[in-house]
Amino acid sequence: MTASLQTLQQMAIKLGATTTILRERVLDNGRSIAEVLVRKIPDDQNNIEIRVAVLGNADAGKSTLLGVLTQGSLDNGRGRARLNMFRHLHEIQSGRTSSISHEILGFNSQGQPINYSYSELITAEEICDSSTKLVTFLDLAGHKKYIRTTIRGLSGYSPHHAMLVISSAAGAVGMAHEHLAIAVALNVPFFIVITKIDLVQPANTLQSLESFLKQVGSRRVPLVIKNLDDVITAGANQLTENVVPIFCVSSVSGEGLDLLSRFLHVLPPGISSKEKERLEQESPEFHIDENFKAGDVGQILGGLLMKGVITEGTKMQIGPMKNGSFQNVTVKSIHRNRVPCRMVRAGQSAAVCLDSYVPTLRNGMVLLSAEENAKVVCISRRMFRVLFHATAIYPGFQTTVHIGNVRQTAVVVGICSSRCIHTNERDSVLFQFKLHPEYVTVGQRLLFRRALQRESGDYTGISLTHMP
Ligand SMILES: Nc1nc2c(ncn2[C@@H]2O[C@H](COP(=O)(O)OP(=O)(O)OP(=O)(O)O)[C@@H](O)[C@H]2O)c(=O)[nH]1
């Protein structure tokens, strides 16, 4: 076995790859078996990246868990670990997340976590440089007041996986149901973390999970992760098998965190390297989710590059403006994970600085290649499925729709095969944006939600496919 592992390692080194032994076992006949992860990072990339959105009810322990994973020191049960996750003073004062924050956790080639406790004064740049795998967490808000921000995170940032955090003290209550229903509707693979097991044993919460999963429309069955074998099996099959991995952890005692961390290390990115290569060949399409001006630096756009490659100096067009037109711009500089870089590739998020100021910028706009003949829509036809509605949806129904980063009021102007749509029914629907045209592409999922009364927050439905 030692000789075989050495040979494998030498083969990997020749290809510029690394090997990590995931598990080893000695059989009854004295022979042994080892499962080895061979990780090859593309030549032009530092590490393999995945984005994980963190969902769950307020006070479930999301920010605390992220604080513990990314800062590397345990919580005191009174909110110490979450302090670094907050972006605003009111969040620190209330202990409640209201915005989307990004946190990173790296892993080296041996599978050891690299976070801010790895060495004294380590910076985000050094974490990125020393990691072969990088997990970016999106810490989303749990309180129902901030549901629109949470939907924006799930729909706009295209996370590869969602992590639903449930407190074992409170169970799957409040917004946990709605958050997971949205992740299921957007087809984001998910896993569950039951936290605070130092306070209450998770037995009752575990029991209720099967019916909880059915209620949100997921046909997957829960698989409680108890040992390293379960971790490897669940990690390898996360995208294909019909199971939901469940971890039981405590951010105060640290119990169960090792298995969760190992799972994050083996969790695969959402798309294959072939698919990624194909996307990189296409014309660039950068979806804007944040825009701001920083002193003399100029106009900065935060977002995700869905297709193509952008480099410094690339000539592009930004829009659509209110009249549907696009404005020509040039990319001045690019930052990724707070570090300057020369290039951003399909599937990566980045902050792009433009050479000129763009008036009337809004989130949901796109940056496209300057040569692209960009088309925008006022009216769009889509296949709809209503997940829940108290009565039915008729023409004239008006609501806020989310398509990626686009968020705008739209009106249903026609339903193709019947007069109205009820819960669980599907139909092709024509809807019109109320204010201005938007850039949408075939296959993007559309999500709409309407609060029937201000407080109740009834979640209504999703469109499955965009029909050209
Ligand atoms: N005993 C114990 N307390 C925990 C644990 N995890 C979190 N807490 C405490 O639970 C409280 C709420 O945690 P948060 O991390 O702010 O919860 P959240 O889900 O991020 O809440 P929002 O930001 O409002 O969405 C804090 O006081 C934490 O110290 C745990 O594992 N054990």
Side-chain angles (χ1 to χ4, degrees), residues 52-212:
V52 176
V54 186
L55 306 170
N57 196 33
D59 273 350
K62 300 181 290 302
S63 309
T64 305
L65 179 61
L66 289 195
V68 172
L69 287 172
T70 60
Q71 307 289 320
S73 53
L74 293 172
D75 185 44
N76 60 354
R78 293 186 301 283
R80 183 176 61 194
R82 67 186 176 191
L83 286 178
N84 284 314
M85 307 296 109
F86 291 146
R87 297 173 81 192
H88 304 292
L89 180 63
H90 72 260
E91 295 182 319
I92 296 173
Q93 284 161 348
S94 68
R96 194 169 272 171
T97 313
S98 67
S99 58
I100 301 170
S101 73
H102 297 231
E103 299 303 329
I104 51 170
L105 170 65
F107 291 94
N108 64 14
S109 54
Q110 280 82 50
Q112 285 164 338
I114 301 185
N115 51 29
Y116 289 101
S117 70
Y118 190 68
S119 72
E120 256 180 57
L121 302 177
I122 190 168
T123 58
E125 183 177 2
E126 283 157 355
I127 294 183
C128 297
D129 278 351
S130 7
S131 307
T132 51
K133 163 98 175 259
L134 198 67
V135 184
T136 306
F137 292 104
L138 308 172
D139 186 13
L140 300 176
H143 196 272
K144 63 180 166 202
K145 194 157 91 178
Y146 305 116
I147 182 71
R148 288 192 314 175
T149 309
T150 301
I151 294 182
R152 184 160 68 85
L154 267 175
S155 139
Y157 288 79
S158 305
H160 299 117
H161 301 272
M163 171 166 97
L164 177 74
V165 179
I166 297 177
S167 153
S168 75
V173 290
M175 298 307 284
H177 183 278
E178 183 155 354
H179 283 185
L180 198 58
I182 297 169
V184 170
L186 290 173
N187 215 8
V188 183
F190 64 93
F191 57 96
I192 296 180
V193 178
I194 300 180
T195 182
K196 304 196 190 185
I197 60 166
D198 57 298
L199 295 178
V200 180
Q201 282 301 311
N204 285 347
T205 309
L206 284 173
Q207 246 176 14
S208 60
L209 276 185
E210 207 154 325
S211 62
F212 170 71

